[in-house]
Amino acid sequence: MSWWLLLYSFSMPARSQPRKCTGALDIYRSPDAAALEYALGMALEVIPHLVLEELHLRPVPLSKPLAL
């Protein structure tokens, strides 16, 4: 549930203030850009696996360990 909350909270400002969010992801101007990119990258790895588990209604082992 935390992943859904994180992605939802990222999407709200992206819709209402797209220029500010684009600036926040600029690695050369924003001190938070690296952390935001890391969180979004982890979400790309984790969310599909969680959806697969829900579709199968059982835990599904990961094929490879997550790269932290």
Side-chain angles (χ1 to χ4, degrees), residues 22-43:
T22 303
L25 291 172
D26 185 0
I27 198 77
Y28 298 108
R29 294 185 182 159
S30 174
D32 301 324
L36 289 171
E37 285 185 5
Y38 177 76
L40 292 172
M42 287 300 296

Side-chain angles (χ1 to χ4, degrees), residues 4-30:
W4 299 115
L5 179 63
L6 178 73
L7 292 176
Y8 181 73
S9 63
F10 281 159
S11 72
M12 296 312 290
R15 289 183 194 145
S16 61
Q17 300 174 349
R19 287 184 189 199
K20 190 179 272 189
C21 288
T22 303
L25 291 172
D26 185 0
I27 198 77
Y28 298 108
R29 294 185 182 159
S30 174

